[in-house]
Amino acid sequence: MDGITVIDLGQVYQGPYATYLMAKAGANVIKVEPLDGEPVRQRDAVSRGSGAPFAMLNGHKRSMTLNLKSARGREILKALVGTADVLLENFAPGVLDRLGVGWSVLSDLNPRLVYASGSGFGLSGPDKDKLAMDITVQAVSGLMSITGFTDSPPVKAGAAIVDFLAGTHLYAGVVTALYERHFTGRGRLVEVAMQEVVYPTLASNLAYMYDLGQAPPRTGNRHGGLSAAPYNVYRSSDGHIAIIATNERHWTNLLRAMNRADLLSDPRFSSKVSRVRNMEEVDRTVSEWSSRITRQEACAILDEWKVPSAPVRNLSEVSNDVHMQARGMLTWIDHPKFGRIVIPDSPIRIHGTDRLPAAISPELGQDTEEILRTMLDFSAQDIEGLRSEGVIGGKTDG
């Protein structure tokens, strides 16, 4: 994406992740923040760790502050958009329209502009004005109803999965629109609704509804449609292991790994269907084996027999993962504000191209003056005037 300029009005995770992927692909990303910074940047007031996600999602971006509630601030945004390729925002629908810098205005100003909007429920429909956060969308999308165990209340996914699903789709939408622009010369309005990115992930669970005409239950660590076995998380003597062995080769290998070749001819386990019908017995058999040995021992045996499995690891273990560090996906850096933290690379790998190294996220507004000078030809006097009027932040900008 070298040569593509992105005006990033994204906040929290959804928008910033989409533009982070663009920055890692080489785009010139200008992060435009309010004078006091975007919400995740402000979290460092709670604790160092609370603010660290900002560093994860904003490397390779330039930061400028701009008061979009001021007429002059909106004029500057329009001037920036006039030279840009993409503007991305994930405000509530209509916020930028009310400020006079929405899609209709900006596309008239720059017909080549790709305008990307991320929201909870989209730009149309009866629910478009409802407020949305990751946890509320997990609730309303059905995701929360199937997360947890049958005898427990609904539980949210531990990760902010909806925000990042939406951010990934925003990135895909922008790249698709830029590809089309190559042929047409015109940009597009691209939108992604958080609620809508969840539905395809419910594919397994929906099978239960289609088969029985009932809302799918929470199935814990079992298959969402209760149509595969073994498919579960099993206890070891010192932890847990996820094991799935639903095809015949994997099941046969699992039995041999457990030294239970005597069950190869057992009619309860002789086919996929029979194993699903006898799911409790399948899980009991696997648990009896796994609970007697350590997590490491079990994983080594299952790897040797090529049974799909993995240890349930904590985030400290994952952050120090040798494999992801060897591939350059995770890099430990010493951040001047957040200390020693892990920075993820883009998961998108295009072979034969350069990969940008991990970078320190910018200080609030640190590039404001440089952007105004180089992109809009503002003088030092112009910039000082904007600062005194409260259109941009102070020299240190935080």
Side-chain angles (χ1 to χ4, degrees):
M1 296 185 75
D2 186 26
I4 296 294
T5 295
V6 179
I7 307 301
D8 176 12
L9 300 180
Q11 302 183 86
V12 192
Y13 296 155
Q14 179 190 171
Y17 185 59
T19 52
Y20 180 64
L21 294 177
M22 296 175 205
K24 294 296 286 189
N28 169 30
V29 178
I30 299 172
K31 186 174 181 68
V32 179
E33 301 182 63
L35 305 195
D36 55 353
E38 67 121 304
V40 173
R41 189 191 283 276
Q42 295 176 19
R43 287 183 189 172
D44 62 9
V46 177
S47 71
R48 179 175 66 88
S50 297
F54 184 89
M56 291 175 58
L57 300 178
N58 291 288
H60 295 289
K61 300 180 185 180
R62 292 189 290 165
S63 171
M64 72 176 294
T65 52
L66 198 57
N67 179 5
L68 295 181
K69 294 181 180 178
S70 70
R72 191 74 175 104
R74 294 191 292 273
E75 288 176 12
I76 292 173
L77 179 65
K78 289 179 182 179
L80 290 170
V81 165
T83 65
D85 299 283
V86 178
L87 179 138
L88 183 144
E89 53 93 359
N90 60 313
F91 296 114
V95 167
L96 292 189
D97 291 314
R98 290 191 291 273
L99 289 174
V101 286
W103 158 248
S104 60
V105 172
L106 297 183
S107 63
D108 284 344
L109 177 68
N110 178 0
R112 290 177 55 80
L113 181 71
V114 173
Y115 183 112
S117 169
S119 62
F121 300 94
L123 301 179
S124 61
D127 292 339
K128 69 180 179 65
D129 294 323
K130 286 189 174 182
L131 298 178
M133 297 292 180
D134 191 281
I135 186 173
T136 61
V137 176
Q138 287 196 37
V140 76
S141 67
L143 178 61
M144 195 179 292
S145 76
I146 57 168
T147 305
F149 290 86
T150 306
D151 57 354
S152 67
V155 180
K156 78 174 185 68
I161 189 169
V162 181
D163 274 333
F164 285 90
L165 271 173
T168 305
H169 281 77
L170 266 177
Y171 172 82
V174 166
V175 173
T176 303
L178 286 172
Y179 178 77
E180 183 195 37
R181 191 187 72 172
H182 178 74
F183 301 100
T184 66
R186 296 192 63 87
R188 288 278 191 184
L189 172 60
V190 175
E191 65 155 314
V192 170
M194 295 166 70
Q195 181 185 35
E196 293 171 0
V197 303
V198 173
Y199 199 82
T201 72
L202 308 176
S204 292
N205 309 81
L206 288 168
Y208 190 97
M209 182 179 75
Y210 297 138
D211 286 340
L212 301 177
Q214 301 174 10
R218 290 181 286 284
T219 60
N221 293 313
R222 284 177 167 167
H223 185 263
L226 295 176
S227 56
Y231 185 116
N232 213 330
V233 171
Y234 302 92
R235 183 177 294 279
S236 69
S237 64
D238 62 349
H240 294 84
I241 312 152
I243 301 173
I244 172 174
T246 57
N247 71 35
E248 299 311 318
R249 180 170 62 85
H250 291 155
W251 172 247
T252 298
N253 285 355
L254 175 59
L255 290 180
R256 296 190 185 284
M258 297 188 301
N259 289 318
R260 292 304 309 270
D262 58 298
L263 297 178
L264 285 171
S265 59
D266 192 313
R268 295 173 301 168
F269 312 132
S270 60
S271 69
K272 293 180 183 179
V273 173
S274 61
R275 291 193 292 275
V276 170
R277 298 284 186 268
N278 293 281
M279 191 176 292
E280 295 292 342
E281 284 299 315
V282 170
D283 281 346
R284 187 177 298 113
T285 300
V286 178
S287 294
E288 287 174 354
W289 169 75
S290 65
S291 62
R292 294 195 299 266
I293 57 179
T294 66
R295 188 184 69 168
Q296 183 176 357
E297 289 170 336
C299 289
I301 295 170
L302 295 170
D303 283 347
E304 181 181 353
W305 283 96
K306 299 191 180 306
V307 176
S309 60
V312 178
R313 300 188 301 179
N314 62 42
L315 295 191
S316 178
E317 291 174 298
V318 175
S319 296
N320 290 284
D321 181 86
V322 173
H323 175 74
M324 284 197 286
Q325 290 187 23
R327 282 173 52 82
M329 178 59 196
L330 299 182
T331 303
W332 283 92
I333 66 168
D334 292 310
H335 194 284
K337 191 164 193 175
F338 302 113
R340 190 153 179 79
I341 59 173
V342 174
I343 298 294
D345 202 342
S346 169
I348 301 169
R349 292 173 182 262
I350 301 176
H351 287 228
T353 64
D354 296 332
R355 290 176 67 81
L356 297 176
I360 303 297
S361 55
E363 289 293 317
L364 177 60
Q366 73 175 38
D367 305 295
T368 302
E369 292 189 20
E370 185 263 340
I371 291 168
L372 292 174
R373 281 197 315 269
T374 59
M375 292 186 66
L376 302 182
D377 202 26
F378 279 33
S379 67
Q381 186 177 359
D382 293 331
I383 293 170
E384 193 54 44
L386 293 173
R387 184 175 290 115
S388 64
E389 295 169 18
V391 177
I392 63 174
K395 283 191 175 181
T396 57
D397 282 338

